[in-house]
Amino acid sequence: MFVVQGEGRGHLTQALALKEMLQQNGHEVVDVLVGKSCYREIPAFFKEKIGSEVTLFPSPNFCPSKDNRRFGLLRSIAYNIFLTPKYLYSLSLIRRHIQKSGADMVVNFYEILCGITCALFRPQVPVACIGHQYLFLHPSFRMPGRYPMQESLLKWFTRMTCWGATVQLALSIRSYPADVQQHIKVVPPLLRSEVRTVIRHHGDYIMGYILNAGFYQDVLSWHEKHPFVKLHFFWDKKDAPEEIRVDDTLTFHTISDTKFLRYLAGCKAYATTAGFESVCEALYMGKPVMMIPAHVEEVCNATDAERELAGIRSDGFDMDRLQCFSHEYEEDVEFRMWENQADNRIVAALEAAYDDYCYKRDSLAGHFLLSRRL
């Protein structure tokens, strides 16, 4: 059973990739729950490709700031406190689905309400948590250190998502040793098979992805100064038409999985708001990346990617910097080799977590029966 945090597209595409891996190894996804807020729409491609009925439930999320560029912390706290009764209902819904699904394992894609449900009700099945955020809890990972309070809150939130978990699979650009004490295993990113098979070439346009629609004006401002540079930007603005053609060299597209990958495979460089998944997709395709963090988690993503020479960080959509970086960029062959191990490593880690859970459960049951006889 999958429980997915529906913010952005990263966790959704991870769920699609894992579903394909599991099916190829003889497993089945029997139920899918997705947490969402009123600020986001779940992309149609996810509902079409997941292959199971999708149940949506209200879930805490950050609210955009007034300029719709970054997230407003105080607004988010007030908004989520107001919706607490709905979140209590979501806890009950998740619990009921776990009980009725008959699933042998719950896989949580960074959904905090799933973590709280498991902490409160202790389901009688193992729970595996998957997300790159669990790397932030690894003792070998260095946080940026630029926003100490926000980074501490991020770690606290991440720990809440994995309360009661049997194992945490931390998706990472590079390998780290396992942290046995915290049950953290570091594995390659969960990229869909289409990312590996799509035909790549270097076209004549820059591609971008913006999560918050407020960055729209930033892109327009740069475009007005550089009208001859071709730009294709994707966003998930609610109720936006499928395509907005500003002029001959600037087009905005609503998010679509096949269209997104096709444009990414053909671009000469990629600008994004530092979401982990799309950075890894670009890295696998050999595309130079510029990351514009919108909140502290994306600052961590961008810092990590810069350390690994996977891209550059910027405060805004200044494509001049990206074009300069693209001239000196070299494809990362080591990452591609690491990513090609994802299927084996992730499925093996889930199966091992299930076996370990069953062994401990049966051992406890045996000790209990023996003590009663004595």
Side-chain angles (χ1 to χ4, degrees):
M1 171 179 160
F2 286 1
V3 185
V4 190
Q5 193 235 88
E7 181 76 7
R9 63 182 284 272
H11 301 292
L12 298 171
T13 57
Q14 289 168 10
L16 291 175
L18 183 59
K19 180 229 173 190
E20 184 178 346
M21 292 179 188
L22 291 173
Q23 284 187 328
Q24 290 173 353
N25 286 271
H27 302 290
E28 180 186 2
V29 178
V30 296
D31 199 4
V32 179
L33 277 67
V34 177
K36 68 178 293 293
S37 72
C38 63
Y39 293 101
R40 308 289 180 205
E41 288 291 330
I42 303 302
F45 73 81
F46 178 79
K47 297 178 181 178
E48 293 168 1
K49 291 198 169 186
I50 194 62
S52 303
E53 183 178 350
V54 177
T55 302
L56 304 179
F57 62 89
S59 172
N61 269 302
F62 290 108
C63 300
S65 58
K66 290 183 179 180
D67 61 5
N68 203 11
R69 283 179 168 83
R70 291 173 170 80
F71 294 114
L73 182 58
L74 294 179
R75 293 183 70 194
S76 299
I77 293 172
Y79 171 80
N80 287 306
I81 290 175
F82 177 75
L83 290 181
T84 297
K86 289 189 175 182
Y87 300 153
L88 293 175
Y89 169 79
S90 295
L91 297 178
S92 175
L93 182 144
I94 295 170
R95 184 191 185 192
R96 291 198 309 270
H97 274 258
I98 293 174
Q99 293 172 335
K100 294 180 179 180
S101 67
D104 296 313
M105 174 176 277
V106 175
V107 181
N108 178 13
F109 294 86
Y110 203 63
E111 173 50 59
I112 187 171
L113 294 186
C114 184
I116 295 174
T117 300
C118 294
L120 293 176
F121 303 113
R122 297 292 179 181
Q124 300 302 305
V125 293
V127 178
C129 292
I130 296 181
H132 70 279
Q133 294 89 344
Y134 300 111
L135 189 65
F136 304 157
L137 305 179
H138 196 285
S140 297
F141 182 83
R142 290 184 293 116
M143 298 292 281
R146 297 179 62 188
Y147 310 101
M149 186 183 76
Q150 294 182 39
E151 290 170 15
S152 296
L153 286 173
L154 174 61
K155 284 188 172 183
W156 173 78
F157 183 93
T158 300
R159 288 191 177 96
M160 288 184 68
T161 67
C162 59
W163 277 350
T166 308
V167 67
Q168 302 156 52
L169 301 187
L171 308 177
S172 173
I173 294 175
R174 294 285 182 264
S175 177
Y176 287 76
D179 181 356
V180 179
Q181 185 175 1
Q182 296 188 86
H183 309 290
I184 299 175
K185 290 185 178 180
V186 179
V187 295
L190 261 170
L191 302 185
R192 292 167 294 161
S193 59
E194 294 92 335
V195 176
R196 302 187 184 104
T197 57
V198 66
I199 298 174
R200 300 180 294 131
H201 62 94
H202 289 279
D204 61 349
Y205 61 90
I206 294 174
M207 179 185 157
Y209 172 64
I210 52 178
L211 178 60
N212 295 315
F215 284 113
Y216 172 88
Q217 193 59 50
D218 293 357
V219 176
L220 280 182
S221 298
W222 190 89
H223 173 66
E224 288 173 359
K225 299 173 184 175
H226 307 82
F228 300 108
V229 179
K230 291 184 180 180
L231 302 173
H232 286 277
F233 268 77
F234 284 78
W235 59 355
D236 63 350
K237 184 181 179 184
K238 197 173 182 179
D239 302 324
E242 183 177 341
E243 185 173 295
I244 298 178
R245 189 179 178 86
V246 178
D247 54 34
D248 291 340
T249 55
L250 174 59
T251 306
F252 286 87
H253 310 266
T254 54
I255 195 68
S256 162
D257 63 333
T258 54
K259 190 176 183 181
F260 181 93
L261 288 180
R262 188 174 73 249
Y263 273 87
L264 183 59
C267 72
K268 63 181 179 179
Y270 178 57
T272 177
T273 43
F276 175 79
E277 201 68 18
S278 62
V279 169
C280 289
E281 289 172 345
L283 186 57
Y284 190 86
M285 294 183 188
K287 306 295 181 180
V289 181
M290 181 176 70
M291 298 158 288
I292 304 91
H295 51 80
V296 65
E297 180 188 316
E298 292 186 347
V299 171
C300 295
N301 295 342
T303 301
D304 186 39
E306 271 196 320
R307 287 176 188 151
E308 301 296 344
L309 304 179
I312 56 170
R313 183 173 58 190
S314 176
D315 294 328
F317 282 90
D318 180 6
M319 263 64 78
D320 290 325
R321 287 197 63 207
L322 178 57
Q323 291 186 101
C324 290
F325 174 67
S326 65
H327 294 317
E328 58 190 38
Y329 177 76
E330 294 183 4
E331 292 192 24
D332 191 335
V333 178
E334 287 186 10
F335 173 78
R336 196 172 292 128
M337 294 173 63
W338 166 242
E339 170 56 29
N340 287 339
Q341 304 174 43
D343 293 39
N344 293 334
R345 285 179 175 267
I346 292 172
V347 173
L350 292 175
E351 291 176 342
Y354 176 77
D355 292 341
D356 185 55
Y357 175 89
C358 292
Y359 174 78
K360 290 179 179 177
R361 179 195 60 191
D362 295 342
S363 297
L364 286 172
H367 286 305
F368 176 74
L369 289 173
L370 180 61
S371 64
R372 289 198 62 181
R373 288 171 185 164
L374 293 174

